[in-house]
Amino acid sequence: MGKTSDLTAVQKTIIDTLHKEGKTQKVIAKEAGCSQSSVSKHINRQAKGRKKCGRKKCTSSRDNRTLQRIVTTNPFKNVGEIHKEWTAAGVSASRTTMRRLMKDMGFRCRIPCVKPLLNKKQRKKRLAWAKDKKDWTDAEWSKVMFSDESKFCISFGNQGPRVWRKSGEAQNPRCMRSSVKFPPSVMVWGAMSSAGVGPLCFLRSRVNAAVYQEVLEHVMLPAADQLYGDADFTFQQDLAPAHSAKTTSTWFKDHGIPVLDWPANSPDLNPIENLWGIVKRRMQYARPNNAEELKTTIRATWALITPEQCHRLIESMPRRITAIIEAKGAPTKY
């Protein structure tokens, strides 16, 4: 124990107390349970007011506050833009120093969350909807079949996986990602309940009321039989034009299926949105070459969704509603 850094806070307190009482270093070392040299170094350090060794900081507290203000004012600026503005403010420091300071301040470069832009009227309706549904139980939510469409592309943009490679392997096909100008994509309709997921439907054309009613007739009804059997259920859908069309409303009335009232522009309330996210994350490392391979990958990944996952997502509805109420109708983290 020759280093003062090895001393505990209790030992340092004992040393300081006994030293003030005029005890010898030998006695103090015995009482504190450490070596005499550790006691000597600690007393000398305290007497000289020495601080930890290290290079002197090249920025002042004022410089650091300037940096924090720049980042906070516009968090979407890149490192080069932030450093340029910081330098223009009279600070002389490298980018490396700036990045280290930003890290010490708690800033991390992350992919921004995407939330819907809501106007005042939409927020008011979302809040009213949440207050109306706040007393719903898990049993009531388990009777709701949630549905939605989602678009899948062969290329998922610039946020794909990174690659580990050696120098000179940049052009190795094994280390490259394929990129096309207009990547093939497919639109998928799906449904879920607390009992699991229903079959997927790949939409070949633009979804109008007629196409959507075909999906309801040939995909949704079999899915309802699969998930609910003869039990009653309530169908959920968003307010897309094909969903809110008069002919679609008539279709639901003719089939005796109640539709859950739903606030506009509210994907954060729909648990199936989280399910689409799970599927896309699992497909992150898949490399389909065409639309058919993409469909095969989607089907295989969708089939891996378990009823337990669906049940947990449905159970999150009370928390989602509470979050909407606390946010006064504004978008939430879900």
Side-chain angles (χ1 to χ4, degrees):
M1 270 196 169
K3 298 180 180 179
T4 56
S5 59
D6 294 330
L7 296 174
T8 64
V10 175
Q11 287 175 318
K12 291 178 181 179
T13 302
I14 293 173
I15 293 171
D16 293 336
T17 303
L18 296 179
H19 179 64
K20 289 179 181 179
E21 293 176 359
K23 303 292 184 180
T24 64
Q25 293 185 4
K26 186 176 181 180
V27 172
I28 295 174
K30 185 176 180 180
E31 291 292 331
C34 61
S35 66
Q36 189 172 336
S37 63
S38 295
V39 174
S40 177
K41 288 180 180 180
H42 177 73
I43 292 174
N44 290 336
R45 182 184 291 273
Q46 293 296 99
K48 295 178 181 179
R50 289 173 56 193
K51 297 182 179 180
K52 291 184 179 180
C53 299
R55 184 180 176 183
K56 185 179 178 180
K57 294 183 178 180
C58 63
T59 60
S60 64
S61 298
R62 182 178 181 180
D63 296 336
N64 296 346
R65 289 195 300 271
T66 301
L67 176 60
Q68 185 166 7
R69 185 178 65 253
I70 292 171
V71 179
T72 306
T73 301
N74 189 351
F76 288 93
K77 286 185 176 181
N78 58 41
V79 172
E81 293 171 336
I82 294 172
H83 186 260
K84 184 177 180 180
E85 187 173 343
W86 199 35
T87 303
V91 182
S92 179
S94 66
R95 284 194 183 190
T96 303
T97 298
M98 185 191 74
R99 291 174 73 104
R100 185 174 63 251
L101 285 171
M102 290 170 64
K103 185 177 180 181
D104 292 341
M105 292 174 185
F107 292 109
R108 300 292 186 273
C109 187
R110 296 288 187 264
I111 300 171
C113 297
V114 179
K115 293 185 178 180
L117 181 63
L118 300 172
N119 57 41
K120 188 175 181 180
K121 184 177 180 181
Q122 290 173 332
R123 291 188 182 191
K124 187 176 180 180
K125 287 185 176 181
R126 278 163 53 92
L127 180 59
W129 184 91
K131 289 181 177 179
D132 183 58
K133 301 294 188 293
K134 67 178 181 179
D135 294 326
W136 275 35
T137 63
D138 290 342
E140 289 176 294
W141 285 116
S142 66
K143 295 180 182 179
V144 178
M145 178 190 285
F146 292 89
S147 69
D148 190 33
E149 295 90 4
S150 185
K151 185 178 181 180
F152 287 76
C153 298
I154 284 182
S155 173
F156 287 96
N158 298 325
Q159 303 299 342
R162 299 195 176 199
V163 62
W164 289 95
R165 70 186 185 204
K166 296 180 180 179
S167 178
E169 290 186 337
Q171 300 302 318
N172 188 324
R174 181 181 61 83
C175 300
M176 297 175 67
R177 291 176 55 217
S178 301
S179 177
V180 291
K181 190 172 183 181
F182 302 104
S185 63
V186 294
M187 183 66 75
V188 189
W189 180 93
M192 65 169 288
S193 74
S194 61
V197 297
L200 294 175
C201 178
F202 292 95
L203 306 171
R204 297 182 180 180
S205 60
R206 184 177 179 181
V207 182
N208 54 28
V211 172
Y212 184 60
Q213 288 162 35
E214 287 292 317
V215 173
L216 296 175
E217 186 75 38
H218 301 293
V219 184
M220 189 275 284
L221 290 180
D225 291 337
Q226 171 189 329
L227 297 173
Y228 293 98
D230 295 330
D232 295 332
F233 72 97
T234 300
F235 187 71
Q236 180 277 335
Q237 59 181 2
D238 59 28
L239 299 183
H243 302 174
S244 55
K246 290 183 179 180
T247 54
T248 302
S249 300
T250 302
W251 186 93
F252 281 110
K253 290 179 181 179
D254 292 344
H255 287 76
I257 300 174
V259 178
L260 180 68
D261 60 302
W262 196 253
N265 210 6
S266 299
D268 53 337
L269 280 170
N270 196 343
I272 199 172
E273 294 286 352
N274 301 87
L275 210 57
W276 292 130
I278 292 172
V279 172
K280 290 178 180 179
R281 284 194 295 274
R282 289 182 177 178
M283 290 176 56
Q284 185 177 9
Y285 298 100
R287 301 179 70 174
N289 296 312
N290 51 54
E292 289 304 316
E293 289 185 10
L294 178 60
K295 290 179 182 180
T296 301
T297 305
I298 296 171
R299 288 193 188 97
T301 309
W302 183 258
L304 297 175
I305 300 296
T306 64
E308 290 75 20
Q309 286 177 300
C310 296
H311 185 69
R312 285 196 297 269
L313 288 173
I314 298 297
E315 281 186 329
S316 70
M317 286 305 297
R319 296 194 298 274
R320 294 170 191 260
I321 290 172
T322 300
I324 292 292
I325 295 174
E326 291 177 351
K328 297 182 179 179
T332 63
K333 65 178 182 178
Y334 293 96

